[in-house]
Amino acid sequence: MRDRERDRDSDLDLEFDVAELRKVELHLHHEGAAPPEFIRRIAQEKRIDLGKVFDARGNYAYTDFVDFLRVYEAATEVLKTPEDYARLTTAVLEQSAENGVIYSETFLSPDFCGGSDVGAWKEYLHAIREAADAAERNMGIVLRGVITCIRHFGPDKARATAACAAETAGDWIVGFGIAGDEAKGKPKDFSYAFDMAREAGLHLTAHAGEWGGPQSVRDAINDLGVSRIGHGVRAIEDLALVDQLAESGVVLEVCPGSNVALRVYPDIARHPIQMLRERGVKVTVSTDDPPFFHTTMNREYEALRTTFSWDREVFAEIARNSLDAAFCDADTKAKLAKRLEETPA
Ligand code: ADE
Ligand code: ZN
């Protein structure tokens, strides 16, 4: 190691336990956070044969991104009632709270919750909120929802989803987004759904720059008017775009473990999160679909600490970026900001 690097590194205090840090997570898919044992239990209760979803050890098993989406949707098939989603919410929030998360935004898809029928969706949402309120009382974790349409289900389904979003927009449903197979269709096809959500007062985010290159990030910004990008990491392939992200303050919901598990990058050392941050882009850290990628927020933080020598200050910056970019109201943010400041020394 060169002397200057050693000097710089010796100033860093890397002897801390990432588990103690309070965290804010902005990119989490509700069903994607379901522990495999939770899905198995519900399948058993309902006597549903899940088919090819788990490996011999009981973990989710998939071969690539498209197969991941198949397994995700197959596992989701067992969740058929508002009560199932209430139980899922409790299970997900227990995991997040155990990892020091004090605020989380979860992607909820009315497509999976009553087939995007507004009346049915309201019943699912009621059950989810009741479970979230109980988790806030019992574990101190605050949850808000971002309604997410699924790209490979097409623009018509996205409009029905946006109608559910517009009907339930408020202090708890705070955002609208799009996930799913980036290879299907273009962001422009979903402009109408995003316009509906914007008019209902929702904040906007879109998955882009995970499988698509820099142009997919540009398209999401220009055609959907989002303030955050889910992943967005492949912006690194175009430095003019990186500078534009830095100047405009568009925030990236970066999920390093997901990108490595799905082989967008071969390993964390070659993940661009550090380069994006160094060039002034507002990056945040999330888990995406944690049990699918054998990750947790603590594991993400630990990998970033050891790979990029991130110290407490960098993690504090990440948490601040995340809270600034959160879609919840100002009062909620102010309360959470206090709790972040109180992170144990
Ligand atoms: N749905 C769940 N996880 C996803 C991901 N990483 N990309 C796109 N859609 C998803
Ligand atoms: Zn995602």
Side-chain angles (χ1 to χ4, degrees):
M1 191 188 284
R2 279 176 296 145
D3 281 353
R4 205 153 5 106
E5 275 178 42
R6 195 180 310 117
D7 286 351
R8 195 194 58 205
D9 283 354
S10 66
D11 286 343
L12 292 174
D13 176 9
L14 298 174
E15 298 301 312
F16 60 95
D17 184 358
V18 294
E20 287 170 7
L21 302 180
R22 291 189 175 160
K23 304 170 185 83
V24 170
E25 178 161 37
L26 299 181
H27 189 118
L28 183 73
H29 297 262
H30 215 55
E31 299 86 2
E37 53 279 14
F38 173 86
I39 294 294
R40 267 195 299 277
R41 195 178 325 125
I42 303 230
Q44 264 167 11
E45 285 171 14
K46 297 181 195 267
R47 300 182 195 287
I48 296 172
D49 177 12
L50 270 168
K52 260 188 73 206
V53 166
F54 302 112
D55 64 17
R57 288 189 175 158
N59 295 314
Y60 291 114
Y62 54 89
T63 52
D64 56 20
F65 177 61
V66 171
D67 197 42
F68 156 77
L69 292 174
R70 176 193 65 78
V71 171
Y72 184 116
E73 284 164 27
T76 299
E77 277 282 302
V78 309
L79 304 167
K80 292 187 184 297
T81 66
E83 166 64 14
D84 294 339
Y85 269 81
R87 290 169 67 187
L88 172 63
T89 303
T90 305
V92 170
L93 289 175
E94 277 169 1
Q95 302 283 322
S96 297
E98 272 170 24
N99 278 269
V101 176
I102 62 166
Y103 175 78
S104 176
E105 282 177 11
T106 190
F107 295 137
L108 294 166
S109 300
D111 302 83
F112 301 137
C113 301
S116 286
D117 171 79
V118 173
W121 162 241
K122 283 185 177 168
E123 285 177 27
Y124 278 82
L125 179 58
H126 181 75
I128 292 166
R129 284 192 65 167
E130 275 196 341
D133 288 348
E136 186 171 337
R137 284 194 304 276
N138 300 334
M139 300 180 262
I141 182 166
V142 177
L143 183 70
R144 294 290 183 266
V146 175
I147 293 196
T148 305
C149 61
I150 312 287
R151 190 147 158 178
H152 53 272
F153 293 175
D156 291 343
K157 290 254 167 67
R159 283 183 200 204
T161 303
C164 291
E167 277 289 322
T168 51
D171 61 348
W172 204 86
I173 290 295
V174 290
F176 184 76
I178 184 167
D181 189 350
E182 257 188 77
K184 300 279 156 52
K186 291 259 165 269
K188 224 185 178 64
D189 306 334
F190 299 90
S191 296
Y192 189 92
F194 274 73
D195 288 347
M196 285 173 70
R198 185 183 304 101
E199 278 163 29
L202 290 163
H203 298 275
L204 304 175
T205 177
H207 280 63
E210 178 190 21
W211 301 103
Q215 191 56 40
S216 72
V217 176
R218 284 205 169 85
D219 290 346
I221 294 169
N222 297 336
D223 297 338
L224 303 178
V226 296
S227 61
R228 295 190 338 214
I229 298 279
H231 300 283
V233 286
R234 291 194 51 202
I236 199 66
E237 294 163 30
D238 179 343
L239 293 182
L241 173 62
V242 173
D243 292 343
Q244 185 192 321
L245 293 175
E247 274 157 36
S248 62
V250 167
V251 171
L252 301 190
E253 304 156 4
V254 183
C255 309
S258 160
N259 295 152
V260 172
L262 289 172
R263 297 192 293 275
V264 180
Y265 298 103
D267 52 41
I268 181 98
R270 275 172 282 186
H271 191 282
I273 188 167
Q274 172 77 330
M275 276 188 281
L276 288 161
R277 189 182 150 258
E278 281 175 351
R279 232 178 143 96
V281 178
K282 288 220 159 74
V283 298
T284 62
V285 173
S286 295
T287 56
D288 210 5
D289 308 280
F292 282 86
F293 307 138
H294 304 283
T295 192
T296 62
M297 280 296 268
N298 284 341
R299 283 188 206 157
E300 295 292 330
Y301 271 44
E302 185 59 20
L304 292 162
R305 184 177 73 95
T306 54
T307 310
F308 299 119
S309 300
W310 282 13
D311 62 6
R312 284 172 183 280
E313 272 176 44
V314 179
F315 286 115
E317 168 200 304
I318 296 290
R320 272 195 310 274
N321 282 352
S322 307
L323 192 55
D324 284 350
F327 290 160
C328 61
D329 61 57
D331 261 15
T332 309
K333 275 192 196 187
K335 286 188 193 131
L336 291 163
K338 274 205 175 141
R339 288 178 62 196
L340 277 186
E341 279 165 26
E342 292 160 9
T343 288

